[in-house]
Amino acid sequence: MKYHIEDIVSIVKGKFQQQHANASIEQLLIDSRKLIFPASSLFFAIKGPRRDGHSFIVPLYEKGVRNFVVSDPVDVAGIPDANVIEVKDVLQALQLLATHHRKLFSIPVIGITGSNGKTIVKEWLNQLLDDRYSIIRSPRSYNSQIGVPLSVWPMNESHELGIFEAGISQSGEMDKLQKIILPTIGIFTNIGEAHSEGFLNLRQKVNEKLRLFTHVKALVYCKDAPEINEGVAALWQQFNKGGKGSFEIFNWSTVTEATLQVLTIFKDNGTTLITALYKEQTISVTIPFTDDASVENAIHCWCVLLQLGLPPAAIAERMLQLGPVAMRLEMKKGVNNCSIINDSYSADLSSFNIALDFLAQQRQHARRTVILSDILQSGRNEKELYKEVAQALSQRGVSRLIGIGDKMVLHQGIFRLASIPELLFYPSVEAFKLEFHQLNFRDEAILLKGARVFEFEQIDRLLEQKVHQTVLEIDLNALAHNLKQYQQLLQPSTKLMAMVKAFSYGSGSYEIANALQFHKVDYLAVAYADEGVELRRGGINLPIMVMNADESTFDVLVQYNLEPDLYSPGLLLSFEAFLKKEGIRQFPVHIELETGMNRLGFAPAELPVLLEVLKGDTFTVKSVFSHLAASEDAQHDAFTRQQAAIFHSMVGKLQQIVTYPFLRHIANTAGIARHPDLQLDMVRLGIGLYGIDSANSHKLELKEVSTLVATIAQIKHLKEGETVSYGRRGVVGRNSTIATVRIGYADGYPRNLSNGVGKMWVQGMLAPVMGTVCMDMVMIDITDIPHVQEGDEVVLFGRELPVSQVAHWAQTIPYEMLTGISQRVKRVYFEE
């Protein structure tokens, strides 16, 4: 649907700062990096805690955007052809527009809230209902104050059912989301402690979430949670008192009478049979999952399908076909130096654009290939749909499109009109596989985007670099979350340098740096010049400080525009001589001062040499810094203050010689949290990015970024008295079940975790290490853990088992655990 700008100004209760033409609007834009269709986009200049959308207006105007919603006065002289709408609150204007748009449609809409399971339930309902309805749903987990309006905006007359999720973090937010979603059917998945800091208690949190359902016709929930049950009863009373009538309660329970009373849950061989009583009849479904969360999510879906009137037999057939929901984009190394981005669990326009944005962020390859299946059941006119797909591919600079499916073949003429250099089309995956080895995949980023029925995992296996089954999973969403956690502690003027040395604490240099560049950190720091060279070759254009430069790398520093840390008179004079010989002036450098760490840096007595050199024009000083020795420890705060005093004194002397501005920084990860007065002009964030609060400040809600996962190679059943591993140190004290896990000290798993010291996470329980850790294998005792099978995943540290805990068992620090994971362990990067 199209809106005209003159209609929008009224809808959002704004006024024109400048009006140029009555433009037609189709796309809403909040992120300048995700611009696709400039002429028909409306940019909302939202103010965030660190960045103000108003600062992106001129760059977007230069890229062709002509329509803006702002809250501050704008210098319209620089954007003469633009329509500029002024409102009191830009976010509220976005929500008002989405609310107006939603009211134009009277289709049934399912609204989902709860602490966990929202996205899984939404995606499973889409799987279960997509052959009966033309569905619009939230892309991925777009459930916030910004995400919900963007999710609802694409709704049009072709849609027959909406499925949207809503998440809140504080009181008052759900009322806004309710007006945008207007659900007719509600699902309350569960309630937990996550994101509770914005609420007085659990009951208030439940009541706030229930406000999503103030106008529903039916509500699905589990009676077994007393807080939810009591909250629903109160909502029912409000309906009756307010004269709204009532809504249908469709609840389920495993312990008491309910609309759907679950009688038995039987798990066997990877499936779960659920039997229940419904309308005095016994019915059942089988799902291809056994974990408790999947069972709960599946029962919620079961209830919705029953409420919609689907026959129990048809429901049972569909539930058995449920597939896993890959809620994340995965990036990993492929054959012939390729990078593979796998998003092959669905192919709809919203998730397609998100995946393309992720592809566009990757700068390590100039060449980009998209392998795309038919887009099924979109409800759109096919020619218009594929024309939009072709435009999106062209806009992102895709080098090659490989289309798979009858519809892609049928509409290939549309793609041939777009500026995509290379086009190939195949009616099926099998046809593609026959020509795979002639397609020359090399030195490129490859996006796999396919509907589940096309089984693109076959293509993924062909493209994936073959390595052993131990994987270090890197959560780029968690990285971005941790970055924001620290940014919210900073003054608006304080810049941030991200430490990506030591292979980004074991997580992978380029991939982490690229994510940080996307999220607009100010500086990167590496330990050695070759790390900086790798980043430059990968397309990283942020300024990079090299902390351990030496004479052998001077030419590389200049060639790749890397900025060295000069920490001693010898290094200073050597680099000065090199630059003078090359005829280079004003080369950017950083000066490190010694204030008490006693590692590297100019001591106070060495300042005269430094000051004399800086009187010339060989160098441009970008920053001056020092290292805090014990910023995390309260008992050394006096020493930290002493270091700061020495630093300020030395900087003062430098400022007498270097009269232009330079950045001052002394605060590291712990210093950011514990010493806000030392933020100065910039801070250096290292281990905190990866989820470790080195200061134990309790001010931050950090997420684990790295999860080390291996698989079980074999399971053995041993008798009491038998031994395990080298040296026979692992003695079985009872008849036991022992699993051999594909990881060893050659992968970075410490040998001192042998003989019960270390533990691994298996099927929701901890399994102790049995015997000595071997080079490539570790044995664990799974005697008390049911349903474990060969091939099952084992978590060595990460989401369920914090790396700090494993480091404690190993009598080391998280830094050493993370950086010690060897390069033979495959890194897989994902983004939700």
Side-chain angles (χ1 to χ4, degrees):
M1 292 185 65
K2 297 180 181 179
Y3 284 78
H4 288 97
I5 199 73
E6 290 181 355
D7 299 321
I8 291 175
V9 71
S10 175
I11 293 167
V12 302
K13 301 178 181 179
K15 62 180 181 181
F16 281 113
Q17 274 191 27
Q18 174 174 282
Q19 183 177 7
H20 178 72
N22 193 20
S24 179
I25 300 300
E26 296 182 54
Q27 286 81 28
L28 306 184
L29 181 67
I30 63 163
D31 189 334
S32 62
R33 299 164 296 189
K34 298 182 179 180
L35 176 65
I36 309 172
F37 305 110
S40 58
S41 292
L42 176 62
F43 178 67
F44 288 80
I46 295 173
K47 292 183 178 181
R50 294 283 298 174
R51 288 183 176 84
D52 185 345
H54 294 76
S55 63
F56 298 99
I57 290 175
V58 172
L60 283 170
Y61 182 84
E62 292 171 350
K63 293 179 180 179
V65 178
R66 291 296 181 267
N67 302 285
F68 302 91
V69 178
V70 304
S71 57
D72 294 346
V74 174
D75 181 9
V76 295
I79 50 172
D81 299 331
N83 294 306
V84 182
I85 299 174
E86 183 177 345
V87 296
K88 290 183 179 179
D89 185 317
V90 176
L91 175 56
Q92 184 182 58
L94 173 67
Q95 294 171 341
L96 285 171
L97 183 56
T99 298
H100 173 88
H101 184 68
R102 168 66 183 90
K103 288 179 180 177
L104 300 178
F105 305 95
S106 58
I107 62 174
V109 169
I110 299 170
I112 309 170
T113 194
S115 295
N116 297 292
K118 297 184 291 294
T119 302
I120 297 289
V121 170
K122 177 197 66 187
E123 293 299 327
W124 276 358
L125 285 173
N126 182 67
Q127 290 182 26
L128 294 163
L129 295 168
D130 65 356
D131 65 340
R132 286 183 170 247
Y133 299 91
S134 172
I135 299 174
I136 178 173
R137 70 192 195 279
S138 311
R140 302 195 179 273
S141 52
Y142 273 36
N143 57 31
S144 66
Q145 297 292 303
I146 293 175
V148 170
L150 296 179
S151 299
V152 170
W153 177 252
M155 185 181 287
N156 61 53
E157 62 277 357
S158 71
H159 294 122
E160 300 167 325
L161 175 69
I163 311 175
F164 301 104
E165 52 180 293
I168 58 173
S169 58
Q170 60 187 23
S171 177
E173 290 184 337
M174 191 61 87
D175 286 335
K176 299 172 184 176
L177 301 186
Q178 188 278 330
K179 293 174 182 176
I180 301 170
I181 297 173
L182 287 181
T184 56
I185 300 171
I187 306 174
F188 200 139
T189 57
N190 51 48
I191 193 67
E193 296 297 331
H195 308 295
S196 292
E197 62 276 5
F199 305 97
L200 296 175
N201 50 47
L202 204 59
R203 180 59 188 270
Q204 189 205 17
K205 185 177 177 181
V206 168
N207 290 342
E208 288 292 328
K209 288 182 177 290
L210 281 168
R211 296 192 69 81
L212 178 61
F213 310 127
T214 51
H215 293 87
V216 296
K217 296 177 181 177
L219 178 57
V220 173
Y221 68 99
C222 178
K223 282 181 70 175
D224 298 345
E227 296 88 359
I228 298 178
N229 208 28
E230 293 166 7
V232 172
L235 181 63
W236 177 276
Q237 291 178 354
Q238 291 175 19
F239 261 68
N240 290 320
K241 286 182 181 179
K244 301 177 185 177
S246 61
F247 56 88
E248 177 188 353
I249 288 180
F250 199 119
N251 51 30
W252 64 273
S253 174
T254 59
V255 295
T256 187
E257 290 185 3
T259 313
L260 184 74
Q261 183 178 349
V262 177
L263 303 175
T264 61
I265 298 175
F266 179 70
K267 300 178 180 181
D268 180 54
N269 198 27
T271 64
T272 302
L273 171 64
I274 311 169
T275 304
L277 189 65
Y278 175 64
K279 292 185 176 179
E280 300 181 351
Q281 290 187 342
T282 300
I283 58 175
S284 64
V285 295
T286 299
I287 61 170
F289 304 92
T290 57
D291 61 287
D292 292 341
S294 292
V295 171
E296 180 182 273
N297 293 333
I299 295 174
H300 280 118
C301 293
W302 192 8
C303 291
V304 172
L305 269 58
L306 289 169
Q307 198 281 329
L308 289 172
L310 274 70
I315 294 173
E317 181 181 351
R318 291 162 189 262
M319 297 286 277
L320 185 58
Q321 297 171 4
L322 280 176
V325 176
M327 295 189 299
R328 63 196 198 183
L329 294 159
E330 288 188 344
M331 184 169 69
K332 52 196 170 188
K333 290 184 178 179
V335 296
N336 302 324
N337 195 38
C338 292
S339 296
I340 311 302
I341 302 170
N342 187 356
D343 188 27
S344 57
Y345 83 100
S346 69
D348 58 86
L349 206 54
S350 295
S351 64
F352 173 65
N353 281 316
I354 292 171
L356 277 184
D357 287 335
F358 188 73
L359 174 67
Q361 293 171 32
Q362 310 311 314
R363 302 297 176 86
Q364 69 270 48
H365 303 289
R367 180 174 170 84
R368 296 171 184 162
T369 291
V370 172
I371 303 178
L372 177 67
S373 79
D374 292 347
I375 296 178
L376 306 176
Q377 291 143 348
S378 71
R380 298 274 302 276
N381 175 279
E382 286 187 358
K383 289 186 178 179
E384 291 299 318
L385 171 69
Y386 288 106
K387 183 179 178 181
E388 188 170 337
V389 170
Q391 286 179 307
L393 291 165
S394 177
Q395 186 80 19
R396 292 344 192 281
V398 169
S399 313
R400 173 168 60 169
L401 169 66
I402 299 174
I404 295 180
D406 294 335
K407 300 297 184 185
M408 293 293 291
V409 172
L410 177 64
H411 295 291
Q412 61 182 282
I414 294 173
F415 294 97
R416 297 193 187 282
L417 294 174
S419 54
I420 304 171
E422 187 177 346
L423 296 166
L424 296 166
F425 296 92
Y426 299 91
S428 65
V429 170
E430 290 302 320
F432 166 82
K433 287 166 64 178
L434 290 174
E435 295 192 15
F436 173 76
H437 293 291
Q438 283 76 50
L439 294 179
N440 189 29
F441 292 100
R442 183 177 297 277
D443 297 315
E444 58 192 300
I446 305 168
L447 170 64
L448 300 181
K449 185 65 181 169
R452 196 161 56 93
V453 296
F454 283 87
E455 298 181 345
F456 268 24
E457 56 267 26
Q458 299 177 61
I459 300 176
D460 183 50
R461 285 195 290 269
L462 289 173
L463 290 168
E464 185 176 353
Q465 186 182 59
K466 301 299 184 287
V467 291
H468 78 106
Q469 295 182 41
T470 302
V471 171
L472 187 66
E473 297 180 343
I474 313 298
D475 184 344
L476 297 179
N477 290 101
L479 182 83
H481 168 86
N482 295 341
L483 174 63
K484 290 178 181 177
Q485 286 287 301
Y486 280 96
Q487 285 177 328
Q488 71 184 9
L489 299 180
L490 301 181
Q491 298 295 325
S493 61
T494 302
K495 297 181 181 297
L496 189 144
M497 174 183 282
M499 312 302 288
V500 291
K501 58 183 181 176
F503 200 53
S504 290
Y505 294 77
S507 298
S509 297
Y510 165 75
E511 293 82 0
I512 296 297
N514 190 56
L516 293 169
Q517 177 170 274
F518 180 77
H519 290 288
K520 298 188 180 299
V521 302
D522 302 289
Y523 250 98
L524 298 176
V526 297
Y528 296 100
D530 56 352
E531 295 176 305
V533 170
E534 180 186 348
L535 297 184
R536 286 285 185 251
R537 287 174 174 170
I540 301 300
N541 52 36
L542 283 173
I544 300 173
M545 179 174 76
V546 178
M547 303 190 73
N548 292 285
D550 59 55
E551 291 189 39
S552 66
T553 62
F554 286 169
D555 56 339
V556 171
L557 295 173
V558 173
Q559 180 182 352
Y560 288 94
N561 192 27
L562 303 173
E563 303 173 6
D565 160 16
L566 302 182
Y567 52 78
S568 70
L571 181 61
L572 172 79
L573 296 173
S574 295
F575 195 44
E576 180 191 34
F578 172 83
L579 293 176
K580 286 183 174 179
K581 180 181 177 182
E582 298 294 323
I584 298 172
R585 299 167 53 249
Q586 298 181 337
F587 194 83
V589 297
H590 302 259
I591 305 299
E592 182 173 356
L593 303 178
E594 177 59 75
T595 60
M597 181 79 165
N598 290 318
R599 188 173 62 179
L600 296 175
F602 285 91
E606 296 170 327
L607 273 186
V609 177
L610 174 62
L611 296 176
E612 187 62 31
V613 170
L614 294 182
K615 289 177 181 178
D617 65 351
T618 304
F619 300 120
T620 294
V621 177
K622 304 300 290 187
S623 83
V624 177
F625 71 101
S626 187
H627 286 279
L628 296 176
S631 59
E632 73 282 357
D633 196 335
Q635 70 176 349
H636 294 300
D637 280 352
F639 185 78
T640 297
R641 289 191 292 272
Q642 178 182 317
Q643 282 193 270
I646 295 171
F647 179 71
H648 287 306
S649 174
M650 295 176 74
V651 167
K653 294 176 182 178
L654 278 168
Q655 288 173 327
Q656 294 175 14
I657 300 298
V658 182
T659 56
Y660 53 83
F662 55 80
L663 299 172
R664 303 162 301 145
H665 50 110
I666 193 171
N668 54 8
T669 296
I672 295 171
R674 294 200 65 250
H675 302 283
D677 56 311
L678 298 182
Q679 289 183 10
L680 307 182
D681 303 312
M682 186 161 67
V683 296
R684 300 188 302 275
L685 179 57
I687 194 71
L689 277 171
Y690 308 95
I692 310 299
D693 183 1
S694 56
N696 292 316
S697 66
H698 307 295
K699 297 179 181 179
L700 302 153
E701 291 187 2
L702 301 181
K703 296 181 179 180
E704 295 275 340
V705 169
S706 304
T707 299
L708 183 60
V709 178
T711 56
I712 293 175
Q714 189 176 19
I715 294 175
K716 293 180 179 291
H717 301 281
L718 304 185
K719 294 181 179 180
E720 181 181 353
E722 292 192 77
T723 61
V724 178
S725 194
Y726 292 114
R728 302 192 67 201
R729 292 185 177 86
V731 181
V732 174
R734 56 174 175 165
N735 292 345
S736 300
T737 305
I738 305 298
T740 301
V741 181
R742 294 181 173 97
I743 195 168
Y745 59 77
D747 301 297
Y749 194 74
R751 287 189 78 246
N752 58 357
L753 292 176
S754 302
N755 302 310
V757 175
K759 299 176 180 63
M760 300 183 189
W761 188 265
V762 185
Q763 299 280 35
M765 299 177 68
L766 288 174
V769 172
M770 193 71 184
T772 302
V773 172
C774 307
M775 178 180 288
D776 307 301
M777 297 286 173
V778 178
M779 282 64 76
I780 56 174
D781 187 343
I782 59 169
T783 306
D784 298 321
I785 305 175
H787 311 301
V788 180
Q789 300 177 17
E790 292 177 358
D792 282 358
E793 283 193 348
V794 175
V795 175
L796 292 94
F797 63 70
R799 295 180 297 270
E800 298 86 356
L801 182 58
V803 66
S804 55
Q805 176 62 68
V806 181
H808 176 72
W809 290 334
Q811 297 182 341
T812 184
I813 55 177
Y815 300 72
E816 185 174 344
M817 288 295 303
L818 291 171
T819 58
I821 303 304
S822 76
Q823 293 303 298
R824 80 173 188 177
V825 174
K826 179 173 65 175
R827 270 69 173 172
V828 174
Y829 304 86
F830 64 88
E831 182 174 281
E832 291 186 356

